[in-house]
Amino acid sequence: NKSILYFYDLNAKANYQFDEKNHLFLSGYFGKDDLGYSNQFGIKWGNSTGTVRLNHIFNSKLFSNTSFIYSNYNYTINIDQTTNQLSILSKIQDYSLKEDMQYFAGEKTKINFGLLFTRHTFSPGRFETSETSSFNPITLQDKHALDGALYISDEWTPTNKLKLNTGLRLSSFNVMGPGNFYTYDTLGNVINTKSYSSGKIVKSYINLQPRLAIT
């Protein structure tokens, strides 16, 4: 039986210009680490992400960047003890849409505005066992969330030594179905269970942030 230790990181980039006003950019990152001891214990974890970005020029003053982003993080722990073969798995997966706009209102003023939406899927844990194991398999319920943001900012540069940034950002985080959600008493006992179907909002958190920076 051999021990295992290896890791890798891979970056990839490509771009294509359709015409003078449209430019496509592709990028990706893939990484993995694997550590194992004599087939008795092993742990693997990895990250992967990919982005497709389209840059569009409307005119000499207005530009846009539209991005589609995917990311995934996961890990697995394997334990092999004769009759007990156990695996613990967990992951986080995101899909995002991002729109960034830039408007040059004048020689000294630049306005940025846009939006961001991200769909999260959290897989907190899956416990798998062999048929001969004395442990029972367990799969924790996946959790889903949707967060979004709208923003606008103004960058004013009256002199070469002074820059003023003002802005406003409205963000929200929404816990989503499907799934069962529980209410507990002070002792940690479940006193109520409510089920939500896919796409239903369980709870929302909204935050408005003004921003000011002088450099």
Side-chain angles (χ1 to χ4, degrees), residues 52 78 101 126 142 159 169 179:
V52 178
N78 295 309
M101 307 284 290
R126 190 168 75 244
D142 285 356
T159 70
R169 180 182 179 90

Side-chain angles (χ1 to χ4, degrees), residues 86-109:
L86 314 174
S87 294
I88 303 171
L89 307 92
S90 183
K91 70 176 182 179
I92 300 174
Q93 192 175 68
D94 291 345
Y95 293 91
S96 300
L97 168 63
K98 187 179 181 183
E99 180 70 38
D100 297 304
M101 307 284 290
Q102 285 189 345
Y103 177 67
F104 292 86
E107 294 183 359
K108 299 181 179 181
T109 303

Side-chain angles (χ1 to χ4, degrees), residues 35-101:
L35 172 64
Y37 174 71
S38 187
N39 292 335
Q40 298 178 21
F41 174 82
I43 180 171
K44 302 176 183 179
W45 64 94
N47 289 285
S48 60
T49 181
T51 301
V52 178
R53 178 168 63 89
L54 177 65
N55 174 259
H56 178 66
I57 301 174
F58 291 93
N59 51 52
S60 61
K61 293 186 176 182
L62 183 62
F63 306 84
S64 76
N65 278 295
T66 305
S67 303
F68 299 93
I69 306 166
Y70 165 81
S71 66
N72 180 80
Y73 168 76
N74 63 82
Y75 75 83
T76 304
I77 299 174
N78 295 309
I79 301 172
D80 190 343
Q81 297 180 340
T82 312
T83 58
N84 284 316
Q85 288 84 44
L86 314 174
S87 294
I88 303 171
L89 307 92
S90 183
K91 70 176 182 179
I92 300 174
Q93 192 175 68
D94 291 345
Y95 293 91
S96 300
L97 168 63
K98 187 179 181 183
E99 180 70 38
D100 297 304
M101 307 284 290

Side-chain angles (χ1 to χ4, degrees), residues 2-193:
K2 296 182 179 179
S3 296
I4 298 172
L5 175 60
Y6 79 86
F7 57 89
Y8 70 82
D9 295 281
L10 175 64
N11 288 280
K13 292 185 178 181
N15 66 82
Y16 179 78
Q17 186 169 358
F18 295 101
D19 51 43
E20 293 182 354
K21 293 188 175 183
N22 295 283
H23 204 152
L24 181 68
F25 298 87
L26 305 174
S27 63
Y29 167 79
F30 310 91
K32 185 178 181 180
D33 296 76
D34 193 347
L35 172 64
Y37 174 71
S38 187
N39 292 335
Q40 298 178 21
F41 174 82
I43 180 171
K44 302 176 183 179
W45 64 94
N47 289 285
S48 60
T49 181
T51 301
V52 178
R53 178 168 63 89
L54 177 65
N55 174 259
H56 178 66
I57 301 174
F58 291 93
N59 51 52
S60 61
K61 293 186 176 182
L62 183 62
F63 306 84
S64 76
N65 278 295
T66 305
S67 303
F68 299 93
I69 306 166
Y70 165 81
S71 66
N72 180 80
Y73 168 76
N74 63 82
Y75 75 83
T76 304
I77 299 174
N78 295 309
I79 301 172
D80 190 343
Q81 297 180 340
T82 312
T83 58
N84 284 316
Q85 288 84 44
L86 314 174
S87 294
I88 303 171
L89 307 92
S90 183
K91 70 176 182 179
I92 300 174
Q93 192 175 68
D94 291 345
Y95 293 91
S96 300
L97 168 63
K98 187 179 181 183
E99 180 70 38
D100 297 304
M101 307 284 290
Q102 285 189 345
Y103 177 67
F104 292 86
E107 294 183 359
K108 299 181 179 181
T109 303
K110 181 174 68 175
I111 299 173
N112 297 302
F113 57 97
L115 56 84
L116 169 66
F117 292 104
T118 301
R119 172 75 175 187
H120 306 280
T121 300
F122 306 96
S123 299
R126 190 168 75 244
F127 183 56
E128 298 179 347
T129 63
S130 61
E131 293 181 358
T132 58
S133 174
S134 57
F135 298 96
N136 294 321
I138 299 173
T139 299
L140 299 179
Q141 179 180 263
D142 285 356
K143 297 297 183 181
H144 306 273
L146 178 66
D147 69 50
L150 299 171
Y151 75 91
I152 184 169
S153 66
D154 178 83
E155 182 181 296
W156 181 47
T157 310
T159 70
N160 293 332
K161 296 183 178 180
L162 178 64
K163 181 185 292 185
L164 178 65
N165 282 278
T166 58
L168 196 63
R169 180 182 179 90
L170 176 65
S171 59
S172 67
F173 184 87
N174 305 282
V175 180
M176 308 290 293
N180 297 322
F181 295 83
Y182 307 99
T183 303
Y184 301 88
D185 61 18
T186 55
L187 299 177
N189 300 309
V190 176
I191 58 176
N192 186 48
T193 303

